[in-house]
Amino acid sequence: VQLQASGGGSVQAGDSLRLSCAVSRLTTSDNFMNWFRQAPGKEREFVAGIRWREGTKSYADSVKGRFTISRNAAEYTIYLQMNSLKPEDTAVYYCASSSGKITAAEGVVSWGQGTQVTVSS
């Protein structure tokens, strides 16, 4: 699979952003699509995941109620709508595929390149 993320930027606290990830060359190992993020000096952490076929979703506690993951299967794109952004959401955001539902980077099959999100107070 090839993953191409876009949509990052610099915003103020409370603003919204939508990230996109274009998906191509899906394989049978790419059953789930996920968003991870990595802040400076911190480990890469799971943000949200979606089962590609059924659309079932999961979220990290830190983003529940603020972020929404979705997919457009016809256009092979996944999205991360981020509302009520906080300075602690500042990180490089990555899209990633996995064969099963995951909450950690160890389960990732393929990574896309990252897109920077910066939230200022």
Side-chain angles (χ1 to χ4, degrees), residues 28-75:
T28 54
S29 296
D30 306 309
N31 297 312
F32 288 76
M33 295 295 162
N34 309 277
W35 287 98
F36 281 75
R37 66 186 181 186
Q38 188 166 22
K42 295 188 176 181
E43 293 187 355
R44 198 168 293 190
E45 64 174 358
F46 172 81
V47 175
I50 187 167
R51 188 161 187 165
W52 183 254
R53 293 186 183 276
E54 292 83 5
T56 51
K57 306 172 185 181
S58 60
Y59 296 93
D61 288 343
S62 58
V63 306
K64 278 182 182 176
R66 299 188 300 122
F67 290 11
T68 303
I69 188 170
S70 61
R71 90 241 190 273
N72 183 325
E75 295 187 358

Side-chain angles (χ1 to χ4, degrees), residues 1-50:
V1 67
Q2 291 184 336
L3 304 167
Q4 181 78 27
S6 61
S10 296
V11 297
Q12 298 288 320
D15 286 350
S16 299
L17 271 179
R18 189 176 79 158
L19 306 183
S20 301
C21 180
V23 180
S24 60
R25 301 183 183 180
L26 276 174
T27 72
T28 54
S29 296
D30 306 309
N31 297 312
F32 288 76
M33 295 295 162
N34 309 277
W35 287 98
F36 281 75
R37 66 186 181 186
Q38 188 166 22
K42 295 188 176 181
E43 293 187 355
R44 198 168 293 190
E45 64 174 358
F46 172 81
V47 175
I50 187 167

